[in-house]
Amino acid sequence: MTIKVKDLQFEPYISQHLINTRVIELANRLTIDYHDKNPLFLSVLNGSFMFTADLMKSFLSPCEISFIKLASYSGLKSTENVQELIGINENIDGKHIVIIEDIIDTGLTLKNILLQLKNQKPASIKIMTLLFKPEAFKETFEIDYVGFEIENKFVVGYGLDYDGNGRNLDQIYVLK
Ligand code: 5GP
């Protein structure tokens, strides 16, 4: 069924059932890969909140979970737009990090996050994303765990927003 989010029409794209099945598969893989590593999961807000909650409920080994965000602020010069990584209060030196993203599009956001995390000398960093748009991706880093590869189209729901709305939708919709 077509839905309206603000001024735009969206149609169903990935069902709740498909998402749930895939999320459990991803969690099972993580449980195996990280059973002895006590990983620190870093969930990138806001879009990843729903995916992270579902994923973590099916992760069955010891772990830590925290939330991060890239906050834009203007630098001293008005032309400088700096993106600062906020939310890491713990020492990540020597830890096994898994970044949890909702969607990777061009990859620029994640490149920025990776650069800032690597400075803090974790033991390893891997990337988990629910959605990946291969046609839009412009970076060279490897994405270790992908839920669904999707077309280069705008999607909402299951945490993802259109202009702040639609995050609560229980499945993923695509712009009509
Ligand atoms: P990137 O830096 O990889 O180009 O973009 C990543 C960010 O752009 C995501 O975290 C998300 O906030 C936003 N984004 C990219 N594609 C979509 C999309 O199809 N739908 C929504 N709602 N956000 C998107």
Side-chain angles (χ1 to χ4, degrees):
M1 197 181 66
T2 300
I3 57 153
K4 197 170 176 197
V5 181
K6 297 199 93 175
D7 55 325
L8 296 179
Q9 299 282 338
F10 291 85
E11 58 189 13
Y13 192 51
I14 307 177
S15 70
Q16 195 183 9
H17 177 73
L18 261 183
I19 296 170
N20 290 346
T21 307
R22 188 70 184 126
V23 168
I24 290 169
E25 281 173 12
L26 292 170
N28 289 345
R29 274 190 57 197
L30 285 179
T31 301
I32 294 166
D33 293 355
Y34 284 88
H35 70 279
D36 57 351
K37 292 198 166 76
N38 200 354
L40 169 60
F41 292 106
L42 292 178
S43 169
V44 184
L45 292 173
N46 295 324
S48 303
F49 77 95
M50 205 177 273
F51 175 45
T52 302
D54 287 343
L55 187 70
M56 292 296 95
K57 282 184 270 183
S58 297
F59 180 78
L60 305 176
S61 300
C63 68
E64 293 175 67
I65 305 167
S66 198
F67 295 85
I68 58 174
K69 192 167 190 167
L70 273 182
S72 291
Y73 66 91
S74 297
L76 294 177
K77 294 178 204 140
S78 57
T79 48
E80 259 175 17
N81 206 357
V82 189
Q83 291 234 296
E84 187 200 3
L85 189 62
I86 57 171
I88 297 190
N89 308 313
E90 54 271 87
N91 185 2
I92 65 165
D93 188 341
K95 290 195 176 171
H96 293 281
I97 307 287
V98 182
I99 301 173
I100 304 179
E101 264 286 18
D102 51 350
I103 187 164
I104 299 177
D105 188 52
T106 64
L108 192 65
T109 307
L110 206 54
K111 183 185 170 186
N112 209 330
I113 292 173
L114 280 171
L115 271 175
Q116 298 191 46
L117 287 178
K118 278 179 183 159
N119 283 337
Q120 301 184 41
K121 308 264 181 300
S124 67
I125 306 183
K126 290 209 172 178
I127 299 162
M128 158 76 75
T129 187
L130 179 66
L131 306 174
F132 175 49
K133 293 180 180 172
E135 287 167 48
F137 191 60
K138 291 198 176 72
E139 302 300 330
T140 50
F141 59 79
E142 204 170 310
I143 304 170
D144 307 280
Y145 305 95
V146 174
F148 302 94
E149 290 197 355
I150 62 167
E151 300 161 272
N152 196 4
K153 291 183 176 170
F154 189 79
V155 294
V156 291
Y158 197 70
L160 291 139
D161 74 310
Y162 163 53
D163 198 16
N165 285 61
R167 294 194 196 277
N168 56 315
L169 296 166
D170 61 7
Q171 57 177 313
I172 296 170
Y173 292 82
V174 67
L175 184 62
K176 251 191 124 167

